[in-house]
Amino acid sequence: MRFGSGRCDARTAVSLRCLIVDDSSRFGEEARGLLEQEGVSVVGVATSGAEAVRLAKALGPDVALVDISLGEESGFDVARRLVEGSNACAPAVIFISTYDEQEFGVRIAASPALGFIAKTALSAERIHKLLGD
């Protein structure tokens, strides 16, 4: 895991608290339903970077699932803002996308994110695996 100082260890939480960041509110709600069915507590769904940063500060999620392509915004920039701008406990970041991971492999590796999950493969199990649970 790439937990730096000031990050919470999501494994100590009773239920994993998740923030979904995707410009498609429809996908956000579908992902919320799926993850909550699998035992993940989705504390918020943001459709923009500014909303994501605001919700992360207010809600303190353990993990943020960030779409790589947020309309006109870059998910890479949003991930950096989430990690750098959070309270004492920055969320772990995992990128999600409909694009293939290979297209962004170098940028994902250079980012503060733990990794990548394709939207079609999104599950609580995949999230826990990236978190090292």
Side-chain angles (χ1 to χ4, degrees):
M1 279 202 246
R2 289 191 205 173
F3 286 126
S5 61
R7 286 207 172 159
C8 288
D9 186 345
R11 293 173 293 178
T12 62
V14 173
S15 175
L16 185 64
R17 295 170 42 83
C18 177
L19 172 65
I20 299 170
V21 185
D22 196 295
D23 59 326
S24 168
S25 57
R26 180 177 175 191
F27 173 80
E29 290 308 317
E30 288 175 4
R32 175 196 291 268
L34 169 76
L35 294 175
E36 286 184 343
Q37 207 170 21
E38 295 180 355
V40 173
S41 176
V42 177
V43 296
V45 177
T47 57
S48 70
E51 185 180 18
V53 170
R54 181 180 59 77
L55 288 176
K57 285 181 181 178
L59 303 172
D62 301 308
V63 64
L65 303 177
V66 179
D67 189 7
I68 286 177
S69 179
L70 291 168
E72 294 185 20
E73 290 183 275
S74 164
F76 293 100
D77 292 338
V78 172
R80 189 183 70 255
R81 288 169 44 206
L82 284 169
V83 171
E84 293 173 357
S86 291
N87 299 338
C89 219
V93 173
I94 296 172
F95 286 120
I96 57 174
S97 183
T98 56
Y99 294 104
D100 187 81
E101 181 178 8
Q102 303 297 350
E103 294 181 50
F104 298 100
V106 172
R107 291 186 72 192
I108 291 169
S111 78
L114 296 178
F116 173 90
I117 301 173
K119 286 184 177 181
T120 56
L122 184 61
S123 69
E125 180 181 354
R126 295 290 300 266
I127 293 168
H128 284 289
K129 185 180 261 185
L130 281 174
L131 291 171
D133 294 348

